[in-house]
Amino acid sequence: MIACLERFVHDNDAESKPDDDVSSIGKSLDLQGSIESGGKTGIAGKDFGGLYSVRPLALIKPSGAEDIARVVKASSLTSHLTVAARGNGHSINGQAMADGGLVIDMRSTEENHFKFLRVNGSPYIDVSGGALWEDVLTRCVSTFGLAPRSWTDYLSLTVGGTLSNAGVSGQAFRYGPQTSNVTELEVVTGKGEISVCSETQNPELFFGVLGGLGQFGIITRARVKLQLAPDMVRWIRVVYSEFEDFTRDAEFLVTQKEGESFDYVEGFVFANNDDQVNGWSSVPLGPDQEFDPAHIPQTAGSVLYCLEVAFHYRNSDHPSSVDTAVSRLLGRLGFVRGLKFQVDVSYVEFLLRVKRAEEHAKANGIWDSPHPWLNLFVSKSDIVEFDRTVFKGMLKDGIGGPMLIYPLLRSKWDNRTSVALPGGEIFYIVALLRFVPKGPSVEKLVAQNHEIVQWCIKQGLGFKLYLPHYQSNEDWKRHFGNQWTRFVERKARFDPMAILAPGQKIFKRTHHNLN
Ligand code: FAD
């Protein structure tokens, strides 16, 4: 088997008979699933970002953990093969790619697990690492009337892909990120071993893999906490002209007890003008709603702020009780009166809201264009400075897509996971989600992202990249800070030859153990 892999690697260098070789590798690995030639144009060499493309050796569609373990073990016996799990390829900077390596299409395992269970009376669902969150949602709600508690805004992402980062949305202030909402994982390590891990069983692997950027193992199954799914959501947007008012109210809402706040809290910055994409019209929630700029105070600057909240309720709740509860919560906020928008939608429709935006963007041809996105976590102590320089300055005309900003609470994150966070209890997620046509502007925007990051470093801001992307060892060390040693130790223990997730560019494939 190994001889075959080695021969394949060398033959492929000379670009000879790739299809024959791939089929002979497939046979020698004795996979239940399938293997196909990688190629630069296939899905394995591309991602949502559209900024990078590489030529992998082959794309493997495993049938489950055993196939994945076989592929990793076989790779470990070669001198330089790497293995990248590919969730749904929604990374921006090639994180799920393997140049010259093997890409594992996790989607082929999406049906492998869907088992409901109770642990100490609480409901959980076991799902495949390759399952899409949108399928987990619709199946859990329609089958059990239950749903996971913590989400991402967009759900065509895989369970393993978001757990390898964090998984953040407007529920994270209450329940923590998705990494705080799983209790057990099945993982194929970089040694090709299949391990079940949890807080009490192989905890170092469990916490390492959560937010671990795919460095320690490939998640093949996750046990996700469930709760009763509401029927309906009142989805509301209110506008602020002053950043200090916006942050005061957002922080107030995320620090209230359950039952005394909304169930979802997010926010975004938009341009104070009539630009169709970046301006006032990005705020209303329905076609019948109009943003009347006459309400904007004279003192407002180049950008405005929108607080987006949601209130869950059941069909059996009396409409007046929902109105009363929502009015009471809104009554405590200092938004610009007259600039409030709301709609009532089903819970599933609310969680699938970005899917509608995706359909729209696909119809306009901008979904498949490049996405030079930048995501950061910024400490509360530095967010005013960030607003002043970045939103009110560099990005005052908008970015051709959403500029999200909302507060999160560090105490809802488990510091045993691999995620790197800035200091302080309250920090903000800032997401610059650019949609741009192909062309020279893409490089300019990548350069602008770089400029923002460099400015943060130079000013000594408390910040971390979310979905980080660095090229140098020095940058990775700075990113992880005092967690770097632990990160390296975990790598040495679970993937000593640095076979996994080469697209993150943290460790180089080695012959010898890292330790
Ligand atoms: P991929 O991009 O395929 O993989 C990401 C990384 O994880 C790679 O290194 C890969 O090797 C590794 N990996 C993949 N599967 C596994 C596995 N099973 N086990 C171990 N490692 C694995 N993120 C948020 O937190 N909140 C949001 O609201 C949000 N919204 C988004 C909206 C859009 C439109 C897009 C494109 C992205 C969004 N993201 C959001 C970012 C998203 O969480 C990341 O891009 C994540 O990596 C997505 O996953 P994927 O399943 O496509 O993974």
Side-chain angles (χ1 to χ4, degrees), residues 392-456:
K392 290 195 175 90
M394 295 181 197
L395 307 177
K396 66 179 185 319
D397 297 322
I399 56 166
M403 300 192 282
L404 307 185
I405 174 166
Y406 55 93
L408 296 165
L409 304 179
R410 195 189 168 101
S411 51
K412 302 285 180 177
W413 297 59
D414 194 315
N415 60 18
R416 293 170 291 180
T417 69
S418 296
V419 187
L421 297 176
E425 167 62 357
I426 297 181
F427 61 96
Y428 281 76
I429 179 162
V430 172
L432 307 179
L433 311 179
R434 307 167 187 269
F435 284 78
V436 285
K438 259 200 180 91
S441 65
V442 177
E443 280 91 75
K444 278 198 194 133
L445 298 173
V446 170
Q448 190 180 47
N449 287 344
H450 185 70
E451 193 192 335
I452 293 169
V453 175
Q454 288 310 310
W455 173 79
C456 290

Side-chain angles (χ1 to χ4, degrees), residues 48 90 134 152-157 169 235 237 264 266 308 348-362 367 373 402 404 433 435:
F48 183 79
H90 276 59
E134 63 193 22
T152 46
D153 293 347
Y154 171 69
L155 305 188
S156 297
L157 307 170
S169 186
W235 178 13
R237 287 180 177 169
Y264 161 102
E266 284 204 8
E308 180 175 80
V348 170
E349 212 180 318
F350 175 69
L351 289 177
L352 294 180
R353 63 198 179 281
V354 182
K355 188 107 187 147
R356 303 287 91 80
E358 174 183 1
E359 285 159 8
H360 196 243
K362 278 191 168 151
W367 187 259
W373 287 10
L404 307 185
L433 311 179
F435 284 78

Side-chain angles (χ1 to χ4, degrees), residues 90 98 124 177 196 222 251 436 455 465 488 498:
H90 276 59
Y124 293 84
V196 172
E251 288 176 20
V436 285
W455 173 79
L465 286 190
V488 172

Side-chain angles (χ1 to χ4, degrees), residues 47-49 68 83-92 94-97 104 106-107 109 128-133 151-170 177-178 186-188 209 212-221 266 353-354 358 367 371 373 375 377 404 406 429 433 435 466-467 500-504:
D47 65 15
F48 183 79
I68 297 172
V83 176
R86 184 183 198 272
N88 207 20
H90 276 59
S91 289
I92 298 301
Q95 287 96 331
M97 294 181 190
I104 306 223
M106 295 304 293
R107 292 287 305 281
T109 67
S128 168
L132 292 182
W133 283 107
W151 295 100
T152 46
D153 293 347
Y154 171 69
L155 305 188
S156 297
L157 307 170
T158 62
V159 169
T162 69
L163 291 177
S164 299
N165 286 293
V168 183
S169 186
Q178 291 180 316
E186 179 192 76
V187 170
V188 177
V209 163
L213 308 175
Q215 295 305 303
F216 313 115
I218 297 177
I219 301 167
T220 47
R221 175 177 63 76
E266 284 204 8
R353 63 198 179 281
V354 182
E358 174 183 1
W367 187 259
H371 301 98
W373 287 10
N375 289 271
F377 295 134
L404 307 185
Y406 55 93
I429 179 162
L433 311 179
F435 284 78
Y466 175 50
L467 313 167
L500 300 178
Q504 299 280 3

Side-chain angles (χ1 to χ4, degrees), residues 228-275:
L228 206 60
D231 298 311
M232 295 293 292
V233 167
R234 181 159 296 175
W235 178 13
I236 304 162
R237 287 180 177 169
V238 292
V239 172
Y240 293 79
S241 61
E242 302 306 319
F243 188 63
E244 288 72 11
D245 296 340
F246 164 78
T247 51
R248 183 203 56 229
D249 282 358
E251 288 176 20
F252 168 76
L253 289 174
V254 301
T255 49
Q256 298 306 296
K257 284 203 293 248
E258 192 165 351
E260 291 175 24
S261 186
F262 287 101
D263 297 295
Y264 161 102
V265 178
E266 284 204 8
F268 60 92
V269 185
F270 61 102
N272 186 9
N273 61 38
D274 62 358
D275 182 276

